[in-house]
Amino acid sequence: MHFSRFHDSATMPVLLLLCLTLVGVVPIAALASAHEDARAGLEAVRVGDHERGVELLTKAIEAGDLADTNLTIAYYNRGNAWFHLGDYTRALEDLTTAIDRNPRFLEAFIKRGAAYKELGEYELAIADLSSALELNPNNGRALFMRGLAWSLAGDAEAAMRDMAAAHRIDQRFLVTPLLEAVRAAGEEFAIKFTTRAIDSGELGPENLALAHFHRGLAWRDIGANENAAADFTRAVELDPKMTEAYVRRADIAMNNGLHHEAVHDYSEALAVDPTMAEAYLRRGVAWARLGDRTQAVRDFAAARELDDSLIIPDVESITGKAPSGDEAANTDASGGAFLESP
């Protein structure tokens, strides 16, 4: 028998039909259509057209033609689309189906954990993200998301550990959301927590800089400006590109009448980010207090060009001497002490 006989044009259609019948294969056109819908649905989700994604993925799922693995992925992708549409209940249904079909589907655990977090089910979110981390202990996104869930559940210490671990794996993950939440809980708690975070040895340079910055804000809010300035200084030592720390330290210098120091720090911020309209405005006030009208006018013009919504003070109304006491606390940039930013 020669292999060439199987290429006989008369016998090939019969053999193909027999193979399809024996293995129960669905018609090729239907299979291709379901796969095309699934692929198009994934692409729609990827580009942000989540409603179209749901429509196409639903067609693919309901066709009943997708193989097991592809069907599981289709449920995950539709759950992801529902998540982005804000329908977390439907997202949970699809993501749970994906997990039931594949209990090692790491991305489905992460996304379902995120959906539980959005619904305020923090314990369930932590459980799912912990399951993801059992599958891959070095998944930075799962660690960061669990850190957020811990934070919302009120366990700031566990949140800090997870977020710090996430940052060590991937430096894009920063502790900023946690530190902002801690500050919102009150200055005393923020100072105690950030001090523990700083002393823990858990934080890399970038997150350590953020911890000093946020502790500096807390010190400033209770009037401990010397401590605040020290923390802002440490923040820029650790991260020389932290423009906000330069600006906050400059604000303190302004209200202490140290206008040359303020000009220096506003200039440092602008060297990193020349588009900071507020820094131009604030430096202009410092120049005016130093009696340099030309520099003040130039900075005010730059601030206005970058942000025409800013209220630009009249240079002539600004004196070179900073008020003190109650006067400093109650005057704005056009007439006295410099207003601090949140």
Side-chain angles (χ1 to χ4, degrees):
M1 181 183 295
H2 298 288
F3 181 76
S4 60
R5 68 180 291 185
F6 287 97
H7 292 271
D8 180 79
S9 60
T11 58
M12 281 299 291
V14 176
L15 289 172
L16 178 59
L17 179 60
L18 177 61
C19 290
L20 290 175
T21 302
L22 289 174
V23 300
V25 176
V26 298
I28 292 175
L31 187 60
S33 177
H35 278 236
E36 288 169 4
D37 285 337
R39 280 195 292 267
L42 172 58
E43 179 62 17
V45 174
R46 191 186 68 79
V47 300
D49 190 352
H50 299 113
E51 290 183 354
R52 179 65 174 159
V54 166
E55 178 186 344
L56 288 166
L57 288 162
T58 298
K59 282 180 64 179
I61 290 168
E62 292 180 351
D65 299 329
L66 294 178
D68 283 349
T69 299
N70 288 336
L71 183 58
T72 301
I73 293 170
Y75 274 112
Y76 167 78
N77 287 326
R78 191 173 69 174
N80 189 25
W82 284 126
F83 179 92
H84 286 287
L85 289 169
D87 193 334
Y88 303 117
T89 300
R90 285 182 174 174
L92 285 175
E93 291 174 0
D94 277 349
L95 295 167
T96 297
T97 299
I99 290 168
D100 288 344
R101 295 178 62 84
N102 179 7
R104 298 188 61 80
F105 200 156
L106 184 145
E107 290 297 325
F109 277 114
I110 294 175
K111 184 61 68 174
R112 192 174 71 173
Y116 277 129
K117 179 181 73 68
E118 294 297 330
L119 290 170
E121 299 284 357
Y122 304 129
E123 290 186 6
L124 292 173
I126 290 165
D128 266 357
L129 293 161
S130 297
S131 294
L133 289 163
E134 287 175 7
L135 294 168
N136 180 4
N138 294 316
N139 189 290
R141 191 154 58 90
L143 280 164
F144 184 76
M145 291 293 299
R146 191 174 70 174
L148 288 177
W150 280 124
S151 175
L152 292 166
D155 192 336
E157 301 274 2
M160 189 270 290
R161 284 195 299 271
D162 274 355
M163 288 184 170
H167 184 72
R168 285 194 292 272
I169 293 167
D170 186 336
Q171 294 193 350
R172 291 174 298 176
F173 295 115
L174 298 172
V175 298
T176 304
L178 170 62
L179 295 175
E180 289 175 346
V182 166
R183 276 189 60 221
E187 291 84 1
E188 289 187 11
F189 175 73
I191 290 167
K192 289 178 182 178
F193 177 80
T194 50
T195 298
R196 288 198 301 272
I198 288 165
D199 294 341
S200 70
E202 295 274 357
L203 303 178
E206 194 170 1
N207 274 328
L208 189 57
L210 286 166
H212 277 287
F213 175 71
H214 281 270
R215 188 173 69 175
L217 293 176
W219 283 125
R220 183 205 65 181
D221 290 345
I222 64 172
N225 287 333
E226 186 174 341
N227 288 344
D231 268 334
F232 296 145
T233 296
R234 184 61 180 140
V236 296
E237 288 172 352
L238 290 161
D239 182 2
K241 293 186 177 182
M242 188 178 284
T243 55
E244 290 297 321
Y246 286 118
V247 169
R248 300 298 170 260
R249 189 172 67 176
D251 292 348
I252 292 173
M254 283 282 281
N255 282 332
N256 287 334
L258 303 173
H259 303 124
H260 283 291
E261 291 184 17
V263 165
H264 173 270
D265 273 351
Y266 293 133
S267 298
E268 290 287 342
L270 288 165
V272 177
D273 182 4
T275 67
M276 290 186 72
E278 284 281 355
Y280 278 111
L281 173 62
R282 292 158 186 257
R283 192 174 67 175
V285 173
W287 282 125
R289 291 193 184 168
L290 287 168
D292 193 330
R293 187 182 189 283
T294 301
Q295 292 281 19
V297 169
R298 183 177 296 133
D299 275 356
F300 290 154
R304 182 182 289 109
E305 183 175 349
L306 288 166
D307 184 354
D308 59 11
S309 71
L310 289 174
I311 300 174
I312 307 298
D314 176 20
V315 176
E316 314 303 336
S317 69
I318 303 173
T319 65
K321 179 180 179 181
S324 59
D326 292 339
E327 182 185 2
N330 294 314
T331 54
D332 63 20
S334 65
F338 196 75
L339 286 180
E340 296 173 345
S341 293

